[in-house]
Every structure is written in structure tokens, then in C-alpha cells.
């Protein structure tokens, strides 16, 4: 019996963007996008216009995460609708420009798919980040990518949390996809990390080309890690950090953390355990950029999502 | 050589020692180590047998968690810069302040020993970096510091004292204590503990030395910088066109032979080491060195014999 009764139909993905340099010191995306702007051959696919784009050129020039404020938190409705003017922080002005070119966010004119390329100092390996548990197009794409790169692995992080979800650069698109590869220090380009990101983008574009050619992708299930909680460093009354990520937790992204397991170590060697009620899967462990966001790690819960079969709407 | 080994060295006590951190504001092991030492000093009023001055070198860069705010502080300690008048940039003013506090460089009032704490993104373990290959204090400290938790090595930059540009050159003896790998802007517990242990061992050595202990002679491997290698770049745009090769990445201090892979271009081509002499690479892929046009440094290694040492009474 065919699964067509539960199939989801999506229009052809005609316009796709690949963003690099949303954070100017995350070098894999900066390097790949600059390369693809110069020579588009590798990212060309039939039936779709693929545009590589540097979202924060001033931060890239300075090799810093941002100039005034984090671009990847700037795509809020307030910012996008605020009037242009000289007093605006650079990234807010930039968010409006990006929204104009690739959006408007939430409208039918917005780009179909945007991939936003990031690096992390955390030992997350290759991670795809989704913002909706019911975007079957995106779920089918990550399922395809995971199969294509096997036996290499790729985790899927789902941030649908009402408070912890944030207004990303890629959220301008109908189907936003974050690609986070680590560990890599800021300002550094590691060959293996660069090539992993490049390979994932290749498979992502292959999927879109197949989808556009009319292939039906059967119903599938995808294991995801759903964002649960943000955990800050222990701090003193002045806000200074009083402990470091414990050596037993350091680099253990995606591994289970049970109540009582070591989580932090004070500067004089005392262990502070995880005090949650149930096991969680931490990620973004010791990301350098998150010290100022009061985040030592994010805890997640494992979940299996079901995705309908998908197929292009035939004209 | 027999005579050199049997020779005893008599040297004056090290009565004033400085431990500096945050010379680069985003190299956090030293920042937190200095922060913790200053906190404990306030609490306990401990009288130490040797006067140890603990200094946060670049507070503004530390506050912003950046390497520097206007110019690299650790290049501001040449005689020319220290003696220039009317400095306005933050780091140039600060280098003169530090020279007053810990120097003046080249004078009898300067600190006996400066240990300047740094981190690197390169996989270098712990390195003492200094300008001399005949400073027996630094060499004996390196020998004493051999630790189980992390490899300890001695790097020598053959630059005359007058041109030495880093903070550690302000003292009569000095070195940068560089530990990696650690990304800038974060703190790894294992790296912090290694640095803490190393600083403790350093201060233990100084106390022992000052109280008349003798240290056996022996040998230390010294890595002397020969040259720096830049990234391959596009001849017109000057942009980088290759990454450190996966076979070289993280292989600091593994001998590099002529013909060994060095870079992997974005178009998939392997670029090889073209030198004639096998050399030891270090500072492989240090993020702060991209702007200094250094992908890696290369060193010659030789074994140095150090005489037995006693303090002058």
C-alpha cells in the first residue's frame, strides 16, 4: 500500500543560499563561501539557483565574531522592522539588508532554503541544526545527508525551545538549516573540519537537486537531540567564573550525563556534580563564544521524529 | 666536555620573581591563574620566602577577551619602544608601565626572573620560550619542570637581547611559558591544571635554589628557531589557498622531512616541504599568527649539557 496518502508536497526549491561569515572568525564557512563566490562550479545544480554569500563582511575583515552585536541573534521582528538610521548597530542594519535580499522573513518571496555555516570550539563533530520538528522537507534532507556520509556521523540538534530558540540569520528562509562543525578554535582553519563541512554541503545540494527532479522520499524517522536547558558556569557574586568544565565532561558532547556525574571543577580542584533529575545529553560544551552568553553547555533530550514522505508539487 | 659536566656553576639568588598573565587577553589559563593568585594573596597574607609579584599584564584586553586592543603588547618591549616618548596607544603606554614595574629592562633593578603565561592553539604541550641557549637558570628550570601530565620543551629564539621584544625580556632572566592546545577565549581544566602545576614547580625550584640546594647537571633538548613558513597564497589577491595538511596538523615537534606533506590546497593538491634539512615544526596553525603570516615555525634540535648548579652564598 503506497504511503502517498501521508505524503507532504512542497514546491520546487528554486532559490537556495549558503551563508558564511555570520560569525567572522568561524573560518570553514568564510573560506568555503569565498571560494564558491569566486568559482561556483562545485555548488551548481540543475533546477536551482544557489547563491554563496558572506553575511557579516566587517566581522570577517576583522576576524571577530561580530562588530556591535551577534548577527545570529539579530533577526527579531523588532530589528527587522526598525527604521534605518546612523545610530543602528552594524549587525541590525546588516540584518535588515539580508532580510531584504533573501526574505522578507515569513513571506512567500523568501528564499526556499538557507544553509548557515558555523564552527564551534566544542567537540560536536558535524551537527545539523533545525528549528522545527514538523518541517518534513528539512527532516528528509538531514536523513538523506546522514545516510550519504555514513559511516561518518552527523548529529541533529533541534532548537524548538520557546525561550532558548533565537532569531537566526538563516530564519529568513522557508527552510533554515544550520551547519555547525567542531572542534575548531576561532580564527583557525583545520583541513579536516573544512573538508567535512564541504562534503555535507555537497550532499545537501544533491538532495535538493533530486527533490527538484521529482524523486519521492519515503516516510522516515530521524533521531534528534532536542534542546532542553542552558547551564551556566558557577559564578561568584561579582559574576566571575569560579569553576571550569570538568575534565570528564570536556569533549563529551552527545554522551549521556547522569545525575551525580562530574560537571565542573573549581580552580582548587573540587568537583561539582550535575544536579538534574534525569539523564541528559549535553552539547556545545565549552564553546568560547558562549562565556558571555552565560552558557557552559546546553542539555538536550534524545527523541525520534517521524517525517512524512515528501515530493515536489508537479505543475 | 667532561670538564664542563664536572664544572659547578655559582649564581646569585633569585630574590624577585614575577608571574605575569593576560599579556594576551584571550589566553585564559594565565588570566585565571593570575586572577586566582591575586585573590588568594588578598585572603591569606602569606609571607613567601621569595618575593613573587603577580601581574595582569593587559587588563583592558582581558576585560574584552581579545588578544590586544590596539597593538600586540608582547611585541612592545624592545629598547626602542620602551625609550620612546609620547606614546599614546594603550599597549605602548602599558609596556612602559610594565617596564617601570618589572624593569627597567637591562638595569640592576629589574626582576631576577619573569615567567609570562601564554596559551596557543597549536598542539605544543608546555614550552619555555626564551632568547638564550646559555641561560643556565632557564635551562635548569626546564630540566626540573619535566612533568608526567604534559611534555615540556625548551624553545630558543636566537635574537640579541637588544632586539628582544617580549615581556619576559624585561627581567634578568625570563621566559614565556606557553601551553597548548587550547582555543583562545576559553579555559580547559586539564590545561589550567598543567599550568598551575608548572608554576608551582617553578616557584618550588626557585625556593630550593635560593636555600642552597644543588641541582645535578644533565642535558636539555633545545629547539632553536630557524625559519617561519607562511600559508600558500593567491599571487594576486594574497588570500590563503591551502590549509595545514591533515598529516602535519597537531604534529608539533614531530620531525618534518623534505618531501613530507605540509599543506592541502582547497583544490585538493598536496604541497610538500621543500627545505633540504629535516626540521622540527612548532606553532603549527596558531590562530594569532595568521595575521603575522606564519602557518608554522621550524626549528633545529640539539642536546645541550648543563653544569651542576649552586647558589652563590
Amino acid at each position: 500500500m503506497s504511503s502517498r496518502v501521508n505524503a507532504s508536497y512542497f514546491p520546487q526549491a528554486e532559490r537556495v543560499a549558503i551563508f558564511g561569515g555570520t560569525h567572522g572568525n568561524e573560518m570553514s564557512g568564510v573560506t568555503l563561501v569565498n571560494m564558491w563566490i569566486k568559482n561556483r562550479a562545485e555548488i551548481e545544480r540543475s533546477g536551482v539557483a544557489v547563491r554563496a554569500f558572506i553575511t557579516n563582511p566587517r566581522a570577517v575583515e576583522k576576524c571577530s565574531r561580530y562588530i556591535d552585536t551577534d548577527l545570529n541573534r539579530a533577526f527579531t521582528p523588532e530589528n527587522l522592522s526598525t527604521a534605518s538610521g546612523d545610530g543602528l548597530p552594524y549587525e541590525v542594519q546588516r540584518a535588515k539588508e539580508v532580510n531584504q535580499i533573501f526574505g522578507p522573513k515569513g513571506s512567500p518571496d523568501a528564499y526556499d532554503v538557507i544553509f548557515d555555516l558555523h564552527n564551534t570550539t566544542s567537540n560536536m563533530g558535524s551537527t545539523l541544526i533545525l528549528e522545527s520538528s514538523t518541517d518534513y522537507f528539512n527532516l528528509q534532507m538531514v536523513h538523506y545527508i546522514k545516510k550519504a556520509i555514513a559511516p561518518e556521523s552527523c548529529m541533529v540538534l533541534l532548537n524548538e525551545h520557546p525561550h532558548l530558540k533565537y532569531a537566526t540569520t538563516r530564519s529568513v528562509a522557508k527552510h533554515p538549516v544550520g551547519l555547525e562543525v567542531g572542534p575548531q578554535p576561532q580564527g583557525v582553519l583545520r583541513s579536516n573540519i573544512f573538508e567535512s563541512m564541504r562534503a555535507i554541503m555537497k550532499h545537501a545540494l544533491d538532495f535538493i537537486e533530486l527533490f527538484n527532479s521529482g524523486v519521492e522520499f519515503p516516510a522516515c524517522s530521524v533521531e534528534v537531540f532536542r534542546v532542553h536547558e542552558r547551564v551556566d558556569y558557577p559564578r561568584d557574586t561579582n559574576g566571575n567564573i569560579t569553576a571550569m568544565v570538568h575534565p570528564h565532561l570536556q569533549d563529551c558532547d552527545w554522551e549521556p550525563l547522569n545525575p551525580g556525574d562530574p560537571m565542573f571543577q573549581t580552580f582548587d580542584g573540587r568537583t561539582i556534580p550535575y544536579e538534574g533529575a534525569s539523564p541528559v545529553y549535553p552539547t556545545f560544551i565549552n564553546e568560547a563564544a558562549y562565556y558571555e552568553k552565560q552558557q557552559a553547555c546546553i542539555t538536550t533530550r534524545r527523541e525520534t521524529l517521524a517525517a512524512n514522505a515528501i515530493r515536489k508539487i508537479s505543475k | 666536555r667532561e670538564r664542563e659536566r664536572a664544572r659547578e656553576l655559582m649564581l646569585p639568588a633569585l630574590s624577585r620573581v614575577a608571574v605575569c598573565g593576560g599579556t594576551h587577553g584571550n589566553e585564559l589559563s594565565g588570566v585565571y591563574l593570575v586572577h586566582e593568585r591575586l585573590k588568594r594573596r588578598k585572603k591569606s597574607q602569606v609571607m613567601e620566602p621569595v618575593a613573587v609579584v603577580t601581574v595582569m599584564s593587559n587588563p583592558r584586553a582581558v576585560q574584552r577577551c581579545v588578544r590586544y586592543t590596539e597593538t600586540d603588547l608582547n611585541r612592545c618591549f624592545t629598547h626602542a619602544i620602551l625609550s620612546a616618548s609620547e606614546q599614546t596607544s594603550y599597549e605602548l603606554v602599558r609596556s612602559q608601565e610594565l617596564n617601570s614595574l618589572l624593569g627597567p629592562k637591562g638595569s640592576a633593578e629589574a626582576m631576577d626572573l619573569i615567567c609570562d603565561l601564554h596559551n596557543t592553539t597549536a598542539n605544543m604541550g608546555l614550552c619555555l620560550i626564551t632568547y638564550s641557549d646559555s641561560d643556565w637558570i632557564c635551562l635548569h628550570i626546564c630540566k626540573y619542570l619535566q612533568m608526567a601530565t604534559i611534555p615540556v620543551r625548551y624553545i630558543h629564539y636566537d635574537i640579541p637581547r637588544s632586539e628582544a621584544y617580549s615581556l619576559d625580556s624585561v627581567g634578568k632572566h625570563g621566559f614565556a611559558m606557553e601551553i597548548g592546545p587550547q582555543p583562545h577565549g576559553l579555559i580547559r581544566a586539564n590545561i589550567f591544571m598543567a599550568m598551575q602545576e608548572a608554576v608551582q614547580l617553578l616557584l618550588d625550584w626557585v625556593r630550593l635554589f635560593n636555600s642552597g640546594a644543588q641541582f645535578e647537571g644533565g642535558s636539555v633538548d633545545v629547539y632553536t628557531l630557524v625559519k617561519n613558513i607562511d600559508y600558500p597564497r593567491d599571487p594576486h589577491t594574497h588570500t590563503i589557498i591551502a590549509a595545514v595538511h591533515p598529516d602535519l596538523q597537531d604534529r608539533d615537534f614531530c620531525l618534518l622531512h623534505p618531501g613530507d606533506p605540509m599543506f592541502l590546497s582547497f583544490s585538493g593538491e598536496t604541497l610538500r616541504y621543500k627545505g633540504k634539512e629535516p626540521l622540527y615544526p612548532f606553532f603549527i596553525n596558531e590562530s594569532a599568527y595568521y595575521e603575522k603570516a606564519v602557518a608554522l615555525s621550524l626549528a633545529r634540535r640539539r642536546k645541550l649539557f648543563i653544569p651542576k648548579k649552586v647558589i652563590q652564598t
Side-chain angles (χ1 to χ4, degrees):
Chain A
M1 179 145 160
S2 104
S3 63
R4 206 147 292 167
V5 65
N6 282 330
S8 292
Y9 290 84
F10 294 91
Q12 173 138 351
E14 285 174 342
R15 290 183 306 159
V16 170
I18 305 174
F19 286 171
T22 294
H23 296 134
N25 54 9
E26 295 178 12
M27 302 307 294
S28 306
V30 170
T31 308
L32 280 170
V33 163
N34 278 331
M35 199 177 80
W36 288 331
I37 287 173
K38 225 176 113 173
N39 184 348
R40 304 185 59 254
E42 202 173 301
I43 57 172
E44 271 170 358
R45 298 290 190 281
S46 59
V48 55
V50 182
R51 183 171 175 185
F53 187 81
I54 295 283
T55 48
N56 196 338
R58 275 186 63 195
V60 169
E61 171 68 38
K62 206 176 155 199
C63 198
S64 65
R65 181 177 176 85
Y66 55 80
I67 303 296
D68 296 325
T69 186
D70 192 335
L71 181 63
N72 213 29
R73 304 288 183 279
F75 285 75
T76 60
E78 301 75 40
N79 281 348
L80 295 179
S81 60
T82 196
S84 287
D86 285 339
L88 279 187
Y90 171 72
E91 278 84 7
V92 173
Q93 182 57 43
R94 194 64 189 145
K96 287 160 59 67
E97 286 163 16
V98 170
N99 190 42
Q100 197 164 23
I101 301 172
F102 298 97
K105 177 168 166 173
S107 81
D109 295 329
Y111 262 56
D112 297 290
V113 188
I114 294 179
F115 300 95
D116 194 16
L117 306 182
H118 288 266
N119 291 118
T120 175
T121 57
S122 305
N123 188 28
M124 287 166 72
S126 300
T127 301
L128 290 160
I129 307 183
L130 301 180
E131 298 179 16
S132 159
S133 57
T134 54
D135 182 338
Y136 299 132
F137 180 88
N138 271 357
L139 284 171
Q140 287 281 359
M141 172 156 51
V142 308
H143 176 74
Y144 176 90
I145 291 170
K146 286 177 73 148
K147 265 182 23 193
I149 66 170
E152 299 292 318
S153 64
C154 181
M155 301 304 189
V156 182
L157 179 66
L158 172 68
N159 193 356
E160 210 174 25
H161 194 290
H163 306 305
L164 299 180
K165 185 167 175 164
Y166 46 85
T168 56
T169 313
R170 57 189 178 265
S171 67
V172 166
K174 293 170 186 155
H175 303 289
V177 181
L179 176 45
E180 188 87 52
V181 186
Q184 180 170 271
Q186 297 161 353
V188 164
L189 183 73
R190 290 180 70 102
S191 183
N192 59 333
I193 300 283
F194 172 84
E195 298 293 347
S196 293
M197 189 179 274
R198 190 181 195 174
I200 288 179
M201 276 315 308
K202 172 198 159 353
H203 295 304
L205 294 175
D206 288 347
F207 168 84
I208 290 173
E209 188 175 48
L210 284 169
F211 171 82
N212 283 346
S213 73
V215 167
E216 173 170 316
F217 294 85
C220 68
S221 60
V222 182
E223 184 184 75
V224 305
F225 291 86
R226 182 189 282 275
V227 168
H228 170 59
E229 234 176 27
R230 179 174 71 197
V231 181
D232 191 12
Y233 292 93
R235 293 175 189 270
D236 63 20
T237 45
N238 294 325
N240 297 312
I241 286 171
T242 56
M244 311 168 277
V245 169
H246 197 279
H248 291 179
L249 177 60
Q250 179 68 56
D251 300 335
C252 293
D253 300 68
W254 313 116
E255 291 174 34
L257 181 71
N258 298 301
D261 284 350
M263 199 165 190
F264 296 104
Q265 183 176 73
T266 64
F267 293 110
D268 45 19
R270 192 172 47 91
T271 295
I272 298 174
Y274 169 55
E275 267 158 6
S278 54
V280 287
Y281 293 82
T283 191
F284 275 119
I285 299 173
N286 208 349
E287 161 54 55
Y290 288 174
Y291 279 55
E292 69 176 19
K293 298 198 201 296
Q294 281 93 49
Q295 189 172 301
C297 73
I298 288 195
T299 60
T300 70
R301 294 226 164 98
R302 264 165 93 157
E303 202 173 307
T304 302
L305 296 180
N308 283 358
I310 66 166
R311 197 187 169 100
K312 181 182 79 164
I313 294 168
S314 28
K315 294 204 167 125
Chain B
R1 199 182 274 173
E2 268 310 310
R3 247 184 304 159
E4 225 180 88
R5 276 188 238 194
R7 174 161 65 100
E8 268 183 10
L9 258 186
M10 309 265 289
L11 293 163
L14 301 172
S15 48
R16 294 162 69 234
V17 173
V19 173
C20 303
T23 300
H24 294 135
N26 56 4
E27 295 177 15
L28 294 193
S29 306
V31 168
Y32 278 97
L33 209 136
V34 160
H35 193 245
E36 288 298 302
R37 284 184 62 85
L38 293 171
K39 237 169 53 179
R40 258 182 282 138
R41 182 68 54 80
K42 269 193 211 144
K43 277 192 194 157
S44 64
Q45 304 291 322
V46 163
M47 289 300 294
E48 302 191 6
V50 52
V52 181
V53 171
T54 302
V55 181
M56 193 72 84
S57 313
N58 194 337
R60 191 181 286 184
V62 168
Q63 202 265 325
R64 294 184 199 170
C65 198
V66 292
R67 181 177 176 86
Y68 56 82
T69 62
E70 290 169 82
T71 187
D72 190 336
L73 177 61
N74 214 29
R75 302 291 181 276
C76 292
F77 293 91
T78 61
H79 273 298
I81 294 178
L82 292 176
S83 52
S85 54
E86 317 260 315
Q87 296 289 21
T88 48
S89 106
Y90 177 77
E91 275 89 6
L92 292 173
V93 170
R94 185 66 183 144
S95 72
Q96 293 185 339
E97 280 172 14
L98 289 165
N99 190 43
S100 301
L101 178 68
L102 304 174
K105 176 167 168 171
S107 77
E109 288 78 44
M111 286 280 153
D112 294 302
L113 177 65
I114 293 179
C115 171
D116 188 23
L117 305 172
H118 287 267
N119 290 116
T120 174
T121 58
N123 186 27
M124 285 167 66
L126 191 157
C127 291
L128 303 184
I129 307 179
T130 178
Y131 295 101
S132 171
D133 60 356
S134 56
D135 185 328
W136 309 118
I137 299 266
C138 295
L139 286 161
H140 263 281
I141 288 170
C142 184
K143 185 165 169 292
Y144 186 79
L145 231 52
Q146 297 303 314
M147 284 159 59
T149 45
I150 193 169
V152 176
R153 297 185 180 89
Y154 191 100
I155 297 178
H156 163 228
Y157 281 39
D158 194 8
I159 298 176
R161 202 99 232 209
S162 54
E163 288 160 46
Y165 47 74
S166 53
L167 172 55
D168 53 279
S169 70
V170 170
K172 292 178 187 140
H173 306 273
F175 46 78
M177 180 182 284
E178 185 92 49
I179 304 193
Q182 180 170 275
H184 299 315
L186 61 81
I187 186 158
R188 289 181 68 100
N190 60 331
I191 299 284
F192 176 83
M193 308 237 283
M195 186 181 268
Q196 194 176 51
E197 188 185 345
V199 169
Q200 194 51 55
L201 284 171
L202 164 68
L203 297 178
D204 288 348
W205 185 90
V206 171
R207 281 182 209 112
L208 284 169
F209 172 72
N210 285 348
S211 63
Q214 296 189 19
F215 295 92
E216 281 307 305
S219 70
V220 174
D221 283 334
V222 170
Y223 294 84
T224 298
L225 172 71
V226 170
K227 60 182 167 181
N228 295 320
I229 308 271
D230 190 10
Y231 290 94
R233 292 174 186 273
D234 179 288
H236 308 293
T237 61
H238 212 60
T239 52
I240 288 171
I241 56 171
V244 169
H245 198 280
D247 289 354
L248 176 60
Q249 179 68 56
D250 299 334
R251 291 217 164 81
D252 301 71
F253 302 107
C254 297
L255 190 60
L256 186 71
H257 300 92
D260 282 350
M262 268 186 109
F263 298 103
L264 181 62
S265 80
F266 304 142
S267 55
E269 194 192 335
T270 293
L271 305 163
R272 297 178 181 276
Y273 171 49
K274 290 206 168 73
K276 299 223 169 58
E277 182 190 352
L279 291 172
Y280 291 88
F282 65 101
F283 276 129
I284 299 173
N285 210 346
E286 160 55 54
S287 75
Y289 287 178
Y290 280 62
E291 71 175 17
K292 300 194 202 293
V294 175
L296 64 142
S297 299
L298 289 171
R300 239 172 241 131
R301 183 177 80 179
R302 71 193 209 281
K303 214 178 259 306
L304 219 60
F305 291 96
I306 52 177
K308 184 198 283 199
K309 176 140 71 175
V310 290
I311 181 181
Q312 184 181 64
T313 45

